[in-house]
Amino acid sequence: MKTRLLFLCLFVSVLGHLRAQQRITLLFAGDAMQHLAQIEDARTPAGYDYDSCFVQVKEEIQSAGLAVVNLEVPLGGAPYSGYPQFCAPDAFAEALKESGFDLFLIANNHCLDRREKGLERTIRQLDSLSVFHTGTYCSARERQRLHPLLLRKNGIRLAFLNYTYGTNGIQVRPPYLVNYIHTETIVKDIEIAKKNGADVIIVCPHWGEEYRSLPNIAQKRLADTLVEAGAHLVIGAHPHVIQPIEARCDSLGRITSVIAYSLGNFISNMKTQTTMGSIIFKVDLVKNGTTDIRIENPRYALIFTRRPVHVPGGGFQVIPATRYLSEKDSVPSSLMIPLTRFVQDSRALFKQYNKGSVTEYSF
């Protein structure tokens, strides 16, 4: 009888602990870009089709509790264009949503490529897809209502803040607003997120120097300031190449914050060795009770944009890099050579410059 009672008490205790503990996995992808070659490749007699671009990473993206991508092109409507002033078909965002992305970051240096009309149309198109977005607004009232973006997932309250260093010299005109990187403003926004009850604060800055594999002094200083102000995750974009990841810990070895300076190009037609691939970054958040938040298992997977030049007759497609390396006998050398170099260079960079417990995974 005593044994049964002890077992029952233990069972109730474990059940109560499981109920009190909430957990979510966040996934972040880098710059989703659309150069002219990608637009032409997606063209069909019926319109534009991007579904095949993400078929090999779709399951991984959808497995996350919340997936985030940097949409670095406006949805300004036809005519569509690539660099230097981007404008992508709506089908591109639709395919990103169908692949599993829940939140689109839209404060970046290309958000005004189609001026304010393009900014507003991007917002309205994302609204029509019923996806979350943050970083640009059609009015001060809209920003006040939607910023910081607060989401509740699995009992964990998440605040997302997205800012850009600039907009390629194009000044935003009232009533439209773009979140620019001003340190004092971001610190105030972090305080607002705290007052609004955020358990975890995620800041996504569009910053740094293009094609540079190490963060500059300005990035490091801003990252330090954001973490000191209360940011738990700082996930960067813009350099178009991957940059190191830092997991910072307290005196007991528990992770208190993670900084991923740049995730690289999720998909693009950039052709240099370091711009062809990127990482998917994942992290687990665990909440015990009402106040205890833990950041666990920060990890990354290497991915690569396969292009028509790599596989005759093939289109643009995001592929899991390590899986393709393991299938080298069936992969043409035109793809295997740049893929191998990207993986080797990326691993060497992370081995030398990553800080804390950050691991590589594959899918």
Side-chain angles (χ1 to χ4, degrees), residues 254 286-294:
R254 296 174 300 194
V286 181
K287 181 180 179 180
N288 289 299
T290 57
T291 58
D292 181 35
I293 292 290
R294 296 201 310 271

PDB file of all heavy atoms in Angstrom, residues 254 286-294:
ATOM      1  N   ARG A 254      25.103  28.382 -17.248  1.00  0.00           N
ATOM      2  CA  ARG A 254      23.815  28.410 -17.954  1.00  0.00           C
ATOM      3  C   ARG A 254      23.847  29.498 -19.027  1.00  0.00           C
ATOM      4  O   ARG A 254      24.324  30.609 -18.787  1.00  0.00           O
ATOM      5  CB  ARG A 254      22.682  28.689 -16.960  1.00  0.00           C
ATOM      6  CG  ARG A 254      22.508  27.593 -15.913  1.00  0.00           C
ATOM      7  CD  ARG A 254      21.480  27.979 -14.875  1.00  0.00           C
ATOM      8  NE  ARG A 254      21.880  29.211 -14.157  1.00  0.00           N
ATOM      9  CZ  ARG A 254      21.308  29.621 -13.029  1.00  0.00           C
ATOM     10  NH1 ARG A 254      20.310  28.912 -12.492  1.00  0.00           N
ATOM     11  NH2 ARG A 254      21.719  30.734 -12.438  1.00  0.00           N
ATOM     12  N   VAL A 286      13.012  27.078 -22.777  1.00  0.00           N
ATOM     13  CA  VAL A 286      12.281  26.300 -21.777  1.00  0.00           C
ATOM     14  C   VAL A 286      11.870  27.226 -20.646  1.00  0.00           C
ATOM     15  O   VAL A 286      12.706  27.985 -20.115  1.00  0.00           O
ATOM     16  CB  VAL A 286      13.140  25.144 -21.218  1.00  0.00           C
ATOM     17  CG1 VAL A 286      12.345  24.338 -20.191  1.00  0.00           C
ATOM     18  CG2 VAL A 286      13.620  24.246 -22.351  1.00  0.00           C
ATOM     19  N   LYS A 287      10.602  27.157 -20.291  1.00  0.00           N
ATOM     20  CA  LYS A 287      10.088  27.978 -19.199  1.00  0.00           C
ATOM     21  C   LYS A 287       9.581  27.070 -18.091  1.00  0.00           C
ATOM     22  O   LYS A 287       8.719  26.222 -18.309  1.00  0.00           O
ATOM     23  CB  LYS A 287       8.960  28.883 -19.706  1.00  0.00           C
ATOM     24  CG  LYS A 287       8.364  29.801 -18.634  1.00  0.00           C
ATOM     25  CD  LYS A 287       7.257  30.664 -19.227  1.00  0.00           C
ATOM     26  CE  LYS A 287       6.647  31.567 -18.169  1.00  0.00           C
ATOM     27  NZ  LYS A 287       5.555  32.411 -18.734  1.00  0.00           N
ATOM     28  N   ASN A 288      10.110  27.260 -16.894  1.00  0.00           N
ATOM     29  CA  ASN A 288       9.663  26.527 -15.715  1.00  0.00           C
ATOM     30  C   ASN A 288       8.938  27.489 -14.783  1.00  0.00           C
ATOM     31  O   ASN A 288       9.517  28.487 -14.354  1.00  0.00           O
ATOM     32  CB  ASN A 288      10.846  25.902 -14.977  1.00  0.00           C
ATOM     33  CG  ASN A 288      11.453  24.741 -15.755  1.00  0.00           C
ATOM     34  OD1 ASN A 288      10.776  23.754 -16.016  1.00  0.00           O
ATOM     35  ND2 ASN A 288      12.716  24.866 -16.135  1.00  0.00           N
ATOM     36  N   GLY A 289       7.696  27.189 -14.483  1.00  0.00           N
ATOM     37  CA  GLY A 289       6.936  28.082 -13.631  1.00  0.00           C
ATOM     38  C   GLY A 289       6.616  29.378 -14.335  1.00  0.00           C
ATOM     39  O   GLY A 289       6.298  29.402 -15.516  1.00  0.00           O
ATOM     40  N   THR A 290       6.740  30.476 -13.608  1.00  0.00           N
ATOM     41  CA  THR A 290       6.338  31.770 -14.166  1.00  0.00           C
ATOM     42  C   THR A 290       7.511  32.656 -14.583  1.00  0.00           C
ATOM     43  O   THR A 290       7.336  33.582 -15.367  1.00  0.00           O
ATOM     44  CB  THR A 290       5.492  32.541 -13.134  1.00  0.00           C
ATOM     45  OG1 THR A 290       6.258  32.698 -11.924  1.00  0.00           O
ATOM     46  CG2 THR A 290       4.204  31.788 -12.832  1.00  0.00           C
ATOM     47  N   THR A 291       8.696  32.378 -14.050  1.00  0.00           N
ATOM     48  CA  THR A 291       9.798  33.311 -14.301  1.00  0.00           C
ATOM     49  C   THR A 291      11.071  32.668 -14.831  1.00  0.00           C
ATOM     50  O   THR A 291      11.886  33.347 -15.452  1.00  0.00           O
ATOM     51  CB  THR A 291      10.151  34.077 -13.009  1.00  0.00           C
ATOM     52  OG1 THR A 291      10.512  33.127 -11.982  1.00  0.00           O
ATOM     53  CG2 THR A 291       8.962  34.911 -12.533  1.00  0.00           C
ATOM     54  N   ASP A 292      11.274  31.376 -14.575  1.00  0.00           N
ATOM     55  CA  ASP A 292      12.543  30.745 -14.945  1.00  0.00           C
ATOM     56  C   ASP A 292      12.569  30.403 -16.429  1.00  0.00           C
ATOM     57  O   ASP A 292      11.801  29.566 -16.897  1.00  0.00           O
ATOM     58  CB  ASP A 292      12.751  29.469 -14.114  1.00  0.00           C
ATOM     59  CG  ASP A 292      14.072  28.783 -14.458  1.00  0.00           C
ATOM     60  OD1 ASP A 292      15.042  29.500 -14.756  1.00  0.00           O
ATOM     61  OD2 ASP A 292      14.107  27.537 -14.450  1.00  0.00           O
ATOM     62  N   ILE A 293      13.442  31.068 -17.177  1.00  0.00           N
ATOM     63  CA  ILE A 293      13.598  30.834 -18.612  1.00  0.00           C
ATOM     64  C   ILE A 293      14.999  30.299 -18.868  1.00  0.00           C
ATOM     65  O   ILE A 293      15.989  30.856 -18.385  1.00  0.00           O
ATOM     66  CB  ILE A 293      13.388  32.131 -19.417  1.00  0.00           C
ATOM     67  CG1 ILE A 293      11.936  32.581 -19.338  1.00  0.00           C
ATOM     68  CG2 ILE A 293      13.786  31.930 -20.886  1.00  0.00           C
ATOM     69  CD1 ILE A 293      10.968  31.702 -20.096  1.00  0.00           C
ATOM     70  N   ARG A 294      15.074  29.222 -19.638  1.00  0.00           N
ATOM     71  CA  ARG A 294      16.376  28.673 -20.006  1.00  0.00           C
ATOM     72  C   ARG A 294      16.525  28.671 -21.520  1.00  0.00           C
ATOM     73  O   ARG A 294      15.578  28.369 -22.252  1.00  0.00           O
ATOM     74  CB  ARG A 294      16.537  27.242 -19.467  1.00  0.00           C
ATOM     75  CG  ARG A 294      16.537  27.147 -17.956  1.00  0.00           C
ATOM     76  CD  ARG A 294      17.206  25.857 -17.500  1.00  0.00           C
ATOM     77  NE  ARG A 294      16.695  24.685 -18.186  1.00  0.00           N
ATOM     78  CZ  ARG A 294      15.652  23.971 -17.758  1.00  0.00           C
ATOM     79  NH1 ARG A 294      15.007  24.336 -16.670  1.00  0.00           N
ATOM     80  NH2 ARG A 294      15.260  22.900 -18.427  1.00  0.00           N
TER      81      ARG A 294
END
